[in-house]
Amino acid sequence: DAGRAVMAREQKKMILARNDAYTIGMLAVTGNDVRPYALTGPDIGRILNELLEKVMQRPELNEKEILLSMLNN
């Protein structure tokens, strides 16, 4: 619906303005960082996507130490 589209555009503008992570490449961790927590290549991708979702909701989490500590729990 139109209201949802407007809200999505506004959210995108805020993400871009704050330079928040919105792609895996913008995360403070890489596939090499999460490799010890994954069994396969697809596991690495799944982990990175899960971290990206969390960072998109809470941008302040995008620090390497924080993200790796989340994997230890």
Side-chain angles (χ1 to χ4, degrees), residues 10-23:
E10 290 303 314
Q11 185 178 22
K12 183 178 177 182
K13 285 181 188 177
M14 284 183 6
I15 288 170
L16 293 173
R18 293 187 315 227
N19 201 30
D20 292 344
Y22 59 91
T23 67

Side-chain angles (χ1 to χ4, degrees), residues 35 38-47:
R35 181 170 281 140
L39 298 175
T40 67
D43 289 336
I44 292 171
R46 180 186 51 75
I47 291 168

Side-chain angles (χ1 to χ4, degrees), residues 24-36:
I24 288 174
M26 297 176 80
L27 288 173
V29 293
T30 67
N32 287 332
D33 296 320
V34 302
R35 181 170 281 140

Side-chain angles (χ1 to χ4, degrees), residues 52-65:
L52 178 60
E53 283 195 31
K54 291 177 183 184
V55 166
M56 288 180 72
Q57 293 172 7
R58 295 188 48 209
E60 69 274 11
L61 297 178
N62 196 22
E63 293 188 27
K64 187 173 186 172
E65 296 78 21

